[in-house]
Amino acid sequence: MPTYTAPTRDTRFIVNEMLDLASYGNLPGFESATPDMIDTVINEAGKFCGEVLAPLNQVGDVQGCTHHEDGSVTTPEGFKEGYRSYVESGWGTISAPEEFGGQGLPHVLGFVVEEYMSTANQAFAMYPGLTTGATSALLAKGSDEQKQMYVPKMISGEWSGTMNLTEPHCGTDLGMIRTKAEPQADGSYSITGTKIFISAGEHDLTSNIIHLVLAKTPGAPDSSKGISLFVVPKFILDENGDPGERNGVTCGSIEKKMGIHGNATCVLNYDGAKGWLVGEENKGLAAMFIMMNAARLGVGLQGLAQAEVSYQNAVTYALDRRQGRALTGPKDPEEKADPIFVHPDVRRMLMDAKVFNEGMRALCLWGALQVDLTHKAQTEEERQLADDLIGLMTPVIKGYGTDKGYDIANNMQQVYGGHGYVREWGMEQFVRDSRIAMIYEGTNGVQAMDLCGRKLASKGGRAVQAFFAMIDEEIESAKQVDELKGLAEKLEKALAEQKAATMWFMQNAMQNPNHLGAGAHHYMHMMGIVTLGLMWLKMARVAVEALKGSPEDAAFYEAKLTSANYYAERFLPDAGALRRKLEAGSENMMALGEEAFATAA
């Protein structure tokens, strides 16, 4: 059975040293995040996820969820007990508002817990993960009454939440939804329609499920401008605010999926279900995007999560499995063969995984800090900058993070050779589970177009210019440090490629929008490579300073410097190739007619 150990040392390095969370102690919520508190959260979350959730991962995959004739769903063995332990430990309350029962700690610490949970058991983590997103939308757009009715018990974990967007005939193009919301005399709406692919749509973990549903009211525009958002509880609340009458929403079936078997992905049928408008009529898409943006950052963490757990197990296997001899001569002459860890091609795959995982962890936690600063920074200028940066980086964290996370999981399966293809070793589950992250919450092609078609040009390019300026400043400063100069110069070259690609879009995409569409994927990956380069430069700077003090764990910091240089040598050069692909434009990509794609008999 595969194992998982939370990377608490690396997390503490990022949170305490790279981000220096203690330096934000003057901001609301940060004053409680003392070094002792931070270490306690990190260590205890790691212990909980490793000891409680990880052992349920293969169980959930093998058993899956069971759909019963009455529409109810049973989760895999151990999930109810695991969820009860999660609730009793208060992990879902970490960064939630104190006024609704949360602890009010920075989002950075909430992201730490979310990463560990997704790595230990992605299917399980999705149940509370969807609740967090639904809570965010209610807090932003719900009425005071709705907040008081639903949010405290969602934060506590007593109730869960979902997001209902997709229908059988439409996914990304939400303007095509057909679910109807008819106004009723009592101020509620009667919701009728079918939603598909609803993660955690029905289960036995909580006493109520609070669905957030997109629907159209009578006479609404037949486009995305006619979408409204409704809160539809599984059980309508009685006069005491407790679950009462069963609402008209039922689970028609659960999907038979490639992975994440432990999560119930449901078809939900709404048959005159009672719902209440959230926010303004016809403004539902904006409200739902609050939830989706939070979810997209969480999905980026899932890309890291599956890369991390597959990497940990691949390292263990590579150190144990003996095949062949090292090219430089036997490492273990007393044995018939050396561990496969000595072979450069195996080491290549492991190093690629190591530097991606550590760089991506830094990016996700840096992104979480921007979420905090968006709301809590002292000045309007600082809040605006943080909001610009996290808005720009959200599609990159989701898109690049999950593309690469899947690649890493594949390569870690490759380390196992034939054993990686056999179910008992667990590697093929990591590959299957990681695949969905490239699809849901907006496919990665949609993420690339969001980045290039919307975010780059937004507000006159303010966000991307701030992004470039931030990296330029870091590079110039690092060039003054001998140990960082080479790394900084390599990042500078990669950044120059991205700047040139940005300019090419400006000069060519207006005359032919297909040029933008053809290059968006490459640009998103280029930006991911450059941004992880920035994270590695930041981490290398901290390591250089730490080594001046001859720390007891000097090997940890020395490994950071070696890893930073490996990233610069092996990842940053790809920015140039991606720029050249982007500048090839769309002519040949779009030139052939439909008949050219048909297979001749």
Side-chain angles (χ1 to χ4, degrees), residues 56-115:
L56 299 175
N57 194 42
Q58 271 196 320
V59 175
D61 184 60
V62 173
Q63 291 186 5
C65 295
T66 304
H67 179 246
H68 304 285
E69 288 187 6
D70 63 358
S72 64
V73 171
T74 302
T75 52
E77 183 180 338
F79 271 47
K80 286 183 74 171
E81 293 77 12
Y83 186 80
R84 188 179 308 119
S85 179
Y86 164 83
V87 171
E88 290 173 354
S89 301
W91 291 117
T93 68
I94 291 288
S95 54
E98 291 181 274
E99 63 179 300
F100 295 106
Q103 297 182 51
L105 290 168
H107 280 87
V108 176
L109 296 181
F111 267 47
V112 169
V113 177
E114 193 171 344
E115 181 206 327

Side-chain angles (χ1 to χ4, degrees), residues 10 13-14 17-19 354-363 474 484 487 531-546 556-557 560-561 563-564 567:
D10 195 53
F13 167 77
I14 295 168
E17 298 180 68
M18 191 195 97
L19 297 179
K354 178 179 175 61
V355 300
F356 168 76
N357 292 350
E358 293 177 18
M360 188 66 189
R361 179 171 299 112
L363 174 57
E474 194 81 31
L484 300 176
L487 175 59
T531 309
L532 259 65
L534 171 65
M535 296 300 120
W536 272 111
L537 186 57
K538 287 176 174 288
M539 289 189 285
R541 179 188 291 277
V542 173
V544 167
E545 289 301 313
F556 174 86
Y557 296 103
K560 282 292 180 189
L561 288 177
S563 298
Y567 184 88

Side-chain angles (χ1 to χ4, degrees), residues 434-547:
S434 67
R435 187 62 184 86
I436 184 58
M438 302 163 70
I439 298 173
Y440 56 17
E441 307 308 338
T443 65
N444 287 357
V446 170
Q447 302 305 314
M449 284 302 294
D450 178 43
L451 172 65
C452 298
R454 295 178 63 244
K455 300 295 176 60
L456 290 183
S458 178
K459 298 179 177 68
R462 187 176 73 192
V464 75
Q465 292 304 320
F467 172 81
F468 289 151
M470 174 181 65
I471 302 181
D472 281 333
E473 182 179 350
E474 194 81 31
I475 288 170
E476 287 307 311
S477 176
K479 281 183 179 180
Q480 311 309 310
V481 181
D482 289 342
E483 297 91 337
L484 300 176
K485 185 176 180 182
L487 175 59
E489 289 174 345
K490 289 182 176 68
L491 178 57
E492 187 173 39
K493 290 180 181 179
L495 180 62
E497 301 284 10
Q498 187 189 347
K499 288 178 177 178
T502 309
M503 185 60 67
W504 191 89
F505 271 159
M506 291 175 63
Q507 296 169 343
N508 294 275
M510 290 293 290
Q511 65 187 45
N512 185 352
N514 278 341
H515 288 331
L516 185 79
H521 170 85
H522 304 309
Y523 189 91
M524 179 179 72
H525 273 244
M526 189 186 311
M527 193 165 193
I529 289 167
V530 169
T531 309
L532 259 65
L534 171 65
M535 296 300 120
W536 272 111
L537 186 57
K538 287 176 174 288
M539 289 189 285
R541 179 188 291 277
V542 173
V544 167
E545 289 301 313
L547 286 168

